[in-house]
Amino acid sequence: MTDNEKTEPVRQIFIVSDGTAITAETLAHSIMTQFPSLNYHQTRLPFTDTVEKALATAQQINKQGENDGVRPIIFTTFVDPNIMRTFNEAVEGHIIDLFRKFVGPLETELGMKSAHSIGQSHRIRDDEKYNRRIAALDYTLLHDDGQTNRGLDEADVILVGVSRSGKTPTSLFLAMQFGLKVANYPLIPEDFDRGSLPDALLSLRHKLFGLSIRPERLSEIRNERLPNSHYASLENCRQEIQDAENLMARGGICLLNSTTKSIEEISATIIADLGLDRRPAK
């Protein structure tokens, strides 16, 4: 193997916290997506909530760095200063302390100390808001993939698009993260032959949002489900996508291609375009 053929080692990314590490993982993921050419592996290490665990976690990371021959990148959200200090002194890598990046300047700006309490970001302070999210999730599961037309008028948004274009995961994300009631409806060849949206959706155009996808990617996804089928063929995928996009364009439906977009990006666009961020609190 020549020098040009040698591949760079996988860069190890560790997310370490004395809580769930979910907040840190979300921020770390957002940051690392800015380096699309980097080959890396991400590991979450939650509940590092004692000095002993901090030392053990540091040793685990150091061993990985020695094996790889390259420094790991470490995102942390330690609340306890003693655990943070112990970990930082023991670990060998590039540390990005997410809490200190934001909390310190905010303490200065606000003229007050933060709570320094583990798990504050996941505490359910508003039971009504929590219950609304559960109700939204129940609604979304019931109205997945056009299972029922009952209660469609209650939806905050109805996603439409060809089968396997990303409607279900986007629906669930909107329900769980934002408490939105989301229905999703597949556009099928019968709709294209008729040249109009399904009857159940005609009076709800203001709630519709379309998802599309590149034919090549759609064919890959469908082949995982039904290999070598007409349903998954590139030619059929191209035709379905063209027909669906034409149908949505005629109906004046907002449309987004999901191929290179994360669920977070898709959801933010839907919320902004449909004005759901301006809806009154329920």
Side-chain angles (χ1 to χ4, degrees):
M1 180 181 291
T2 66
D3 290 341
N4 290 335
E5 291 174 326
K6 291 181 180 178
T7 58
E8 293 185 4
V10 176
R11 197 71 181 261
Q12 297 295 327
I13 310 293
F14 290 96
I15 295 95
V16 189
S17 176
D18 42 13
T20 64
I22 292 174
T23 300
E25 185 173 42
T26 301
L27 286 168
H29 174 73
S30 298
I31 293 170
M32 296 312 300
T33 56
Q34 302 305 309
F35 304 91
S37 63
L38 180 66
N39 186 16
Y40 69 91
H41 178 264
Q42 189 167 299
T43 302
R44 179 161 60 96
L45 299 172
F47 305 117
T48 307
D49 51 8
T50 67
V51 169
E52 292 75 19
K53 289 181 182 178
L55 288 171
T57 299
Q59 290 171 2
Q60 175 185 344
I61 294 173
N62 291 345
K63 183 176 180 181
Q64 184 67 58
E66 291 174 7
N67 292 338
D68 293 343
V70 62
R71 287 205 311 167
I73 297 171
I74 307 153
F75 292 89
T76 68
T77 51
F78 287 116
V79 173
D80 188 302
N82 292 324
I83 297 174
M84 176 194 67
R85 191 179 307 109
T86 298
F87 179 82
N88 288 356
E89 291 176 354
V91 77
E92 297 176 6
H94 180 72
I95 301 172
I96 301 173
D97 188 335
L98 294 170
F99 268 7
R100 296 310 179 280
K101 291 282 186 183
F102 301 112
V103 174
L106 271 176
E107 287 180 332
T108 301
E109 175 65 24
L110 298 173
M112 65 174 66
K113 289 293 183 181
S114 62
H116 288 280
S117 177
I118 298 171
Q120 287 287 93
S121 61
H122 302 288
R123 181 176 295 170
I124 299 172
R125 300 177 180 176
D126 185 343
D127 289 341
E128 189 175 326
K129 182 178 180 182
Y130 175 74
N131 291 333
R132 186 167 69 241
R133 292 190 180 192
I134 295 300
L137 183 57
D138 287 341
Y139 177 94
T140 299
L141 290 170
L142 181 63
H143 291 81
D144 181 44
D145 206 29
Q147 291 182 79
T148 179
N149 294 335
R150 287 186 298 175
L152 278 179
D153 57 321
E154 298 176 21
D156 294 302
V157 58
I158 302 171
L159 301 182
V160 293
V162 298
S163 171
R164 317 303 286 184
S165 58
K167 299 185 300 301
T168 294
T170 303
S171 298
L172 293 174
F173 185 84
L174 286 166
M176 290 188 291
Q177 295 296 320
F178 300 100
L180 296 174
K181 292 182 177 180
V182 186
N184 74 75
Y185 220 97
L187 297 178
I188 57 177
E190 285 81 356
D191 300 319
F192 309 144
D193 293 340
R194 190 175 59 251
S196 67
L197 295 167
D199 291 342
L201 304 182
L202 291 176
S203 63
L204 301 169
R205 291 176 187 270
H206 60 291
K207 295 187 176 186
L208 301 184
F209 194 97
L211 292 184
S212 192
I213 188 172
R214 288 179 186 162
E216 295 79 8
R217 179 56 183 149
L218 181 61
S219 180
E220 290 177 6
I221 295 171
R222 289 183 171 184
N223 266 300
E224 292 175 2
R225 183 181 180 189
L226 293 173
N228 304 314
S229 63
H230 173 70
Y231 166 78
S233 70
L234 182 56
E235 181 181 1
N236 180 62
C237 290
R238 281 187 178 134
Q239 188 62 55
E240 281 195 26
I241 290 170
Q242 181 179 334
D243 290 341
E245 290 184 352
N246 289 340
L247 184 59
M248 288 186 276
R250 287 198 300 272
I253 299 170
C254 294
L255 176 67
L256 179 68
N257 191 299
S258 66
T259 308
T260 60
K261 303 289 185 182
S262 67
I263 289 178
E264 293 89 346
E265 290 175 300
I266 296 170
S267 299
T269 300
I270 291 170
I271 289 171
D273 284 6
L274 295 185
L276 296 173
D277 52 347
R278 299 187 297 274
R279 69 174 188 165
K282 296 179 180 178

